[in-house]
Every structure is written in structure tokens, then in C-alpha cells.
Amino acid sequence: MPVADIIIVNWNSGNWLRRCLRSVAAEGGPHVGKVIVVDNGSTDGSLDLGAEQGTPQIIRSERNLGFAAACNLGATAATAPYLLFLNPDASFGAETLGTALKFMESETGRDVGVCGVRLIEESGETQRGCAHFPSWRTFVGAALGLGSVAPRLFPPLQMTHFDHLQSRDVDHVIGAFYLIRRPLFESLGGFDERFFVYLEDLDLSLRVHRAGFRVHYLASAEAFHKGGGSSERVKATRLFYALRSRLLYADKHFSRGASAVVAATTLLIEPLPRFARALLRLSAEEFADTCRGFVLLFRDLGNIFSRPAVKGRAEPITTRPS
């Protein structure tokens, strides 16, 4: 019977973490190996768990390591053949994990490296979380708000045209439910820890493809996902990390010229429409958050483009699972 170790990164997730763990205990069944919670210095009491949340292995950090580094830390304690990276604001439905694992073990899924499932919002709507691999046009379109105006010239990152009601191979599945073969994850060096949060899963999916494996979206398995989570409360920091990850991804995967275009657009042009939008909305808070976000970004440029040796840069394996 296929088994996955579940890794959940917690940062002040409150009751969402408890709901997540409760669903794992109730619906995971024999397919759940270890449940590993990596806590990034939470101060909200979210680790005060009751018996209904099971007995997860908790790895505590005194500070916020970031999502990528915390996932890698959790993976070091895993032993099962599969890893499931699960957001604390997500929760299992009936047979969610079992259905996904059975697909991965099937003849159809034998060369699938990563599997995602259909995610349902609080409203009951299906989230459109699958994504294309971006080009420089994708990031420029996002910076200037042109993705919705001219999608053919500036294709959006998210697969909004796909209703997510049918199973199919995709470039990338959202990291809220990210099921990956552990040998593949380890051979790729895990998540690139330069990505504190955002796009670290997209970067990994790209490396999975380059290693010769497929990424599959499985609509027949369903899970709940709120989205946003604890990052909703820190808007300036969220903007900083979103833009920082964009620059990192472009620097890592694009040509020098394309990366320069993304950097110039993000740093020199994008602040203007953001400030204009804040003024039109008469929102002093949005204006201040935008200022703080870009100040943090400019201060960190040396780290973004320093290209240090980090996890996530290991040479991929070239053999597929038997």
C-alpha cells in the first residue's frame, strides 16, 4: 500500500492548522506515514493541539525560516516513498490522499513526478491553481497589468482558461497540495531556499520536468483550500517576497537579457501604477504598504543577484521510476 509522509509548514496559522491536522487524522487512513509540522517561530498558540489533531512530529524553529527552507527541513525527517507538502489552510476530503497515491502507483502515473488535486474554496468553487511556466512576457505583463488586457502577448501565469474539472498533465500544480516522489525530491536537492516564499514550488516543478518526469493534475481527488493564509496579515512583506521571488526566478531560468527586462520593469516601472492605484482608491494604507514593499526589495537586491550555492541546484536524476 502506498504511503506518504506529510509535511506542513506552520506560521501563526491558528485554527487552520488544527483543522488541517484533524482532516489528516480522520481521512488519511493507512496511506499516511509521518505527519511532520515545521513551525516557523509561531507566537499564536497554533501548536496547542488536542487529541483530535493526532500526534504529529513537531520541528520548532526559533525564527521564520521561510517556506522553502522549512519544507526541506521537514523532508529530512521523512522516510516514506512519497512526500506530501500540504498547506495548513488546506484539508483532506474523503480518500484524497489514497486516490492520489493510487494514481501515482498506476501504470498511467508511473512517470509522474508530482501530482496535485482539485482544490475547493469555501464558496464551493474549484480553484484554478495550475500554472504555465512563465516567460519574461508573463512577468512583464503581471508588473504592468497587461496579462488580462493582452493575454496573447503577455500570457498570465495561472491557467485561467482551464476549468480544472478534468484531469490532465500541466506545467505546475499549486503547492498547497504537492505530492512528489521522495527519491526525485532528494535528487533535485529539494526546494531552492533562496525563495523565501512564492514560486519555490514553480521552480521545483520546472526542474521536475527537466528531469524527465510529468506533473499531473488529478481532478478526481478533492481537498479544501482557503488560500491567502497567514500572509494576508502582512501585505508589505507579502509584496516584497512576491516581487523578490519573481526576480529570483527570472535570474535563475531566463537569459540575461530577459532577466534584465523583468528586473527593469519590476524595479523602475511597476511602482508607478501601484502608487497610482493607491491614490485613486484614496488608500493611505495601500500606499504605505507599497512603499515599504519596494524599499525592502531595493535593500535586498544584493542578495537577490548574488547567486550563492544553495539547495535546489543539484543535478537531476535521469532515470524514471520502475
Side-chain angles (χ1 to χ4, degrees):
M1 180 177 297
V3 174
D5 288 338
I6 300 174
I7 298 167
I8 304 167
V9 175
N10 178 58
W11 181 70
N12 294 328
S13 299
N15 286 327
W16 290 110
L17 175 63
R18 301 184 187 101
R19 173 175 174 170
C20 175
L21 291 172
R22 190 161 53 245
S23 78
V24 170
E27 304 291 351
H31 297 286
V32 176
K34 298 178 183 179
V35 179
I36 303 162
V37 176
V38 182
D39 186 71
N40 267 338
S42 295
T43 57
D44 67 339
S46 51
L47 292 182
D48 298 333
L49 306 174
E52 69 274 14
Q53 276 90 42
T55 55
Q57 177 180 344
I58 298 176
I59 301 174
R60 298 176 185 262
S61 172
E62 295 299 321
R63 61 185 179 87
N64 192 340
L65 302 174
F67 183 78
C71 284
N72 287 344
L73 179 60
T76 63
T79 56
Y82 292 92
L83 301 175
L84 173 61
F85 295 97
L86 184 67
N87 275 17
D89 61 351
S91 55
F92 285 175
E95 294 297 320
T96 302
L97 182 58
T99 301
L101 286 172
K102 288 174 184 175
F103 168 76
M104 295 287 278
E105 291 284 293
S106 69
E107 183 64 25
T108 304
R110 64 183 302 272
D111 61 346
V112 171
V114 173
C115 181
V117 302
R118 183 179 173 191
L119 298 175
I120 309 299
E121 300 176 348
E122 289 180 281
S123 64
E125 295 293 317
T126 297
Q127 286 186 358
R128 301 191 178 190
C130 296
H132 301 286
F133 291 132
S135 67
W136 68 269
R137 294 178 182 271
T138 301
F139 287 152
V140 169
L144 304 181
L146 298 174
S148 57
V149 177
R152 291 189 177 182
L153 287 176
F154 302 97
L157 182 64
Q158 301 301 123
M159 296 178 64
T160 54
H161 63 283
F162 169 42
D163 63 12
H164 288 59
L165 299 181
Q166 298 85 34
S167 300
R168 58 178 287 184
D169 284 354
V170 294
D171 286 348
H172 170 64
V173 294
I174 187 173
F177 185 107
Y178 197 90
L179 180 65
I180 185 170
R181 299 180 190 273
R182 185 167 63 86
L184 173 61
F185 180 83
E186 292 176 349
S187 74
L188 294 175
F191 289 105
D192 185 337
E193 295 180 8
R194 289 197 304 163
F195 294 88
F196 189 87
V197 67
Y198 302 126
L199 301 187
E200 73 291 320
D201 52 349
L202 183 70
D203 167 75
L204 182 56
S205 289
L206 179 57
R207 291 185 282 124
V208 166
H209 277 275
R210 288 174 174 172
F213 289 80
R214 295 155 52 207
V215 173
H216 191 79
Y217 170 76
L218 190 66
S220 59
E222 296 182 3
F224 167 82
H225 181 226
K226 175 182 178 291
S230 53
S231 66
E232 290 178 338
R233 303 191 299 270
V234 284
K235 293 180 180 178
T237 307
R238 181 178 61 184
L239 174 62
F240 160 60
Y241 282 123
L243 298 178
R244 182 182 189 276
S245 290
R246 181 197 296 169
L247 296 181
L248 282 169
Y249 188 96
D251 183 56
K252 182 175 181 178
H253 295 297
F254 296 173
S255 68
R256 288 188 178 274
S259 177
V261 169
V262 171
T265 305
T266 300
L267 297 170
L268 303 178
I269 303 177
E270 183 171 358
L272 302 179
R274 285 186 175 272
F275 286 132
R277 183 176 63 185
L279 292 173
L280 289 173
R281 293 177 175 177
L282 301 178
S283 175
E285 180 182 5
E286 182 178 349
F287 192 92
D289 284 337
T290 301
C291 284
R292 286 194 290 269
F294 276 96
V295 167
L296 290 171
L297 185 65
F298 275 94
R299 286 177 176 174
D300 199 49
L301 289 180
N303 292 325
I304 294 172
F305 298 113
S306 62
R307 295 178 179 268
V310 294
K311 287 187 177 181
R313 292 175 178 265
E315 287 299 316
I317 61 177
T318 57
T319 57
R320 298 184 178 187
S322 59

